[in-house]
Amino acid sequence: MAQAVVTASKLRLVFQVGMDDEGKPVLKAKTFNNIQKSAAPDQLLQAAQALIGLSNDTLSNIERVDNADLLA
Amino acid sequence: MAKTLELEFVTEFGKTARLSVDNPKEPIDESVVKAAMEEMIASGIFTSTNGNFASVKGARVIDRNVTEYEIV
């Protein structure tokens, strides 16, 4: 059976920085590399909330980005 | 005028690791920043090539000013 082995994890915070002419939100993402591959969603959320608390930007989304190697 | 808040951590191996936050809340409240940094360490998700984050080193605001000149 094929396996996916996570090689790197990232935490991505998406902020809404304004509106464009058509009223669509303008988003800006900030990525934090070097996240523990074993991090649980609760832990990620805890860290993300601490980070967001320091910024004036309005949060839109918190994402986790995983890179994985596929092995046959 | 783009400001970033740079958070400095000490890793397990005694090296410095940095994270930056865009558009920080001002004025900077040192105790709030410290609490947020401790929360990030407690979450245990951040790592680096020099080990996991172990303690708070410091924080600073970097103010980047760009003046463009039109040279004809």
Side-chain angles (χ1 to χ4, degrees), chain A residues 30 34 36 43 54 56-57, chain B residues 20 23 25 43 45 47 52:
Chain A
K30 172 110 185 123
N34 288 327
Q36 298 268 16
Q43 293 171 287
L54 298 176
N56 263 329
D57 290 343
Chain B
S20 68
N23 191 12
K25 268 185 197 151
S43 75
I45 64 160
T47 181
N52 299 341

Side-chain angles (χ1 to χ4, degrees), chain A residues 43 46-47, chain B residues 9 35-46 53-54:
Chain A
Q43 293 171 287
Q46 182 188 4
Chain B
F9 296 89
M37 290 174 80
E38 276 161 358
E39 185 91 342
M40 286 175 223
I41 295 169
S43 75
I45 64 160
F46 294 107
F53 290 11

Side-chain angles (χ1 to χ4, degrees), chain A residues 11-56:
Chain A
L11 175 65
R12 196 161 175 266
L13 302 181
V14 184
F15 295 99
Q16 186 179 331
V17 289
M19 296 277 192
D20 68 6
D21 297 340
E22 291 158 29
K24 285 187 198 149
V26 179
L27 302 175
K28 184 185 77 177
K30 172 110 185 123
T31 307
F32 296 91
N33 295 321
N34 288 327
I35 298 299
Q36 298 268 16
K37 284 168 260 179
S38 57
D42 282 340
Q43 293 171 287
L44 286 163
L45 214 58
Q46 182 188 4
Q49 269 154 0
L51 276 166
I52 296 152
L54 298 176
S55 174
N56 263 329

